Amino acid sequence: MPAKTFIASGPLKGRIQVPGDKSISHRALMFAGLAVGTSRITGLLEGEDVLATAAAMRQFGASIAREDDGSWRVEGAGLGSLLEPRTHLDMGNSGTSTRLLMGLAASHAMTCVFTGDASLSGRPMNRVIAPLAQMGAQIEAASGGTLPLMVRGLTPAVPITYRLPIASAQVKSAVLIAALNTPGITRVIEPVATRDHTERMLAGFGARLETGEENGERVIALHGEADLAPMDVCVPGDPSSAAFFLVAASIVPGSDLTIANVGLNPTRAGIVTALRQMGADITEDNPREVGGEPVADLRVRHANLAGIDVDPAIVPSMIDEFPALFVAAALARGTTRTSGLAELRVKESDRIAVMARALALAGARVEETENGLTIHGTGGDPLPGTREGASVATELDHRIAMSMGVAGLASTRGVQVDDTAPIATSFPDFIPLLERASSR
């Protein structure tokens, strides 16, 4: 378990590029693996989570290989022609891989066993099990609806209309992916719109779907027994990864950093909105569209941040970025209040409780509520940092490790985190990139 102390740095300068978007990378591999023909993916995130998806799709019969130029070539197995996995599907730490591939297995006549690491095996899957069971899949999970978990798929599966009880792009996507091999029309109703990468990319691969509104709620209707055609996918930079550098440059005096090629899908860009509301200096240069996704280069300069009350309506568009936002709040002037974050309690860790303890250990003033944090900022002064011999417990959560690493850049003593290994799940080059940006 490689512990590391992150210490105060010089200003973050220059131009960097963060890894490809994790959500889009997962989906590109899956949908290319379901198409008939050859797809090429550039900019793919090569973290452990995405590689778990690639390994699973190979078991389903897709041919997936990394080319010498860094692109990925995928020969699809064809929807409805998947092979039954010969061994269990090891999802590692990836909740996205697990939930979306459960949907894939649910509408194919096969039996799949999903396993994962200690962190993933503690995460509940009941929210995905419920709609897939309605479609006819038989699912047996460990106590509490966790991994290890077995899915016995049904062909033909049953089309359903499913209203999401909570905002979850993963549950929505699992149902839509199951619907691909299901006759008829499957409808998903979203009371609160979530990230729409699945809908955008499925349309690109040739699936027939319509989106609309009924009674103020978003409705996605997918026509089953789809024929997916291969396509080339260019993956934009991950806004969840960019968030750490947006916060770091905002809180370290003298910083002027450009983050190239960041995806700014409106269902994902809440972190930029929230930071700007706090007074962050973030500009969008060279806005463009790549593969159906809005993209821009983000220039961020140090700013004096102020605390805000975060609107719960913005939560779905930045659910993974709150640990980074909590760090920004700890260095801001005044108080930041967040609510509506119950989803954070069932991520890789309980991110509300773990970040409350981590920030307090680094000297921040934090109060934990049932579904959020109240953070009293330093007014721009550095955090004290962790005491000698004390270490932030990351609980195997990559975003806790990276967020507290950023906090260390604006601290007096530095911040020690107990384990940086989980960072490899989503951002293998985070530490060297952070060191390069702060040493120019």
Side-chain angles (χ1 to χ4, degrees), residues 180 199 201-210 222-223 226-229:
L180 289 171
E199 299 96 295
M201 192 176 293
L202 279 178
F205 274 96
R208 183 181 167 200
L209 51 81
E210 295 103 22
L222 188 141
H223 297 252
D227 291 318
L228 301 188

Side-chain angles (χ1 to χ4, degrees), residues 109-396:
M110 61 172 63
T111 298
C112 300
V113 176
F114 293 85
T115 62
D117 67 10
S119 172
L120 180 61
S121 296
R123 298 177 66 180
M125 299 294 158
N126 290 324
R127 64 182 62 174
V128 182
I129 293 172
L132 297 181
Q134 288 182 30
M135 299 180 77
Q138 294 183 315
I139 302 174
E140 299 175 13
S143 175
T146 59
L147 302 188
L149 176 151
M150 181 169 63
V151 177
R152 289 191 182 92
L154 176 68
T155 303
V158 180
I160 62 172
T161 293
Y162 189 71
R163 186 180 187 273
L164 294 177
I166 59 166
S168 172
Q170 292 183 0
V171 176
K172 171 182 66 176
S173 298
V175 175
L176 293 175
I177 291 170
L180 289 171
N181 199 45
T182 299
I185 299 174
T186 296
R187 300 166 78 245
V188 178
I189 302 171
E190 286 192 301
V192 178
T194 64
R195 59 182 66 176
D196 63 357
H197 302 305
T198 295
E199 299 96 295
R200 287 175 184 254
M201 192 176 293
L202 279 178
F205 274 96
R208 183 181 167 200
L209 51 81
E210 295 103 22
T211 59
E213 271 202 9
E214 292 180 9
N215 303 318
E217 298 180 327
R218 188 165 178 263
V219 181
I220 307 104
L222 188 141
H223 297 252
E225 299 179 305
D227 291 318
L228 301 188
M231 67 178 284
D232 291 345
V233 180
C234 180
V235 180
D238 195 327
S240 297
S241 296
F244 302 107
F245 287 89
L246 292 173
V247 170
S250 294
I251 64 176
V252 175
S255 295
D256 185 350
L257 184 70
T258 295
I259 310 168
N261 195 46
V262 179
L264 291 177
N265 183 308
T267 65
R268 291 285 305 283
I271 183 64
V272 176
T273 301
L275 286 173
R276 282 174 173 159
Q277 289 172 352
M278 296 178 74
D281 183 354
I282 302 171
T283 56
E284 297 172 25
D285 297 335
N286 189 23
R288 54 206 184 271
E289 189 169 288
V290 176
E293 295 277 348
V295 170
D297 303 329
L298 297 182
R299 183 181 182 187
V300 55
R301 286 168 278 202
H302 171 255
N304 295 315
L305 303 180
I308 61 171
D309 291 347
V310 179
D311 185 352
I314 204 174
V315 168
S317 66
M318 58 174 294
I319 190 66
D320 287 330
E321 288 75 71
F322 272 97
L325 186 79
F326 293 153
V327 172
L331 275 297
R333 181 181 69 257
T335 299
T336 296
R337 299 174 182 86
T338 63
S339 59
L341 305 184
E343 175 75 3
L344 290 189
R345 294 205 184 271
V346 292
K347 289 289 188 177
E348 282 84 337
S349 68
D350 177 343
R351 287 179 175 163
I352 295 176
V354 175
M355 280 301 295
R357 291 193 294 268
L359 287 169
L361 197 65
R365 291 193 298 138
V366 186
E367 298 157 16
E368 181 179 344
T369 63
E370 181 180 354
N371 62 356
L373 292 181
T374 297
I375 301 172
H376 306 284
T378 65
D381 294 333
L383 289 168
T386 51
R387 301 180 305 278
E388 185 175 352
S391 188
V392 166
T394 57
E395 302 288 345
L396 298 176

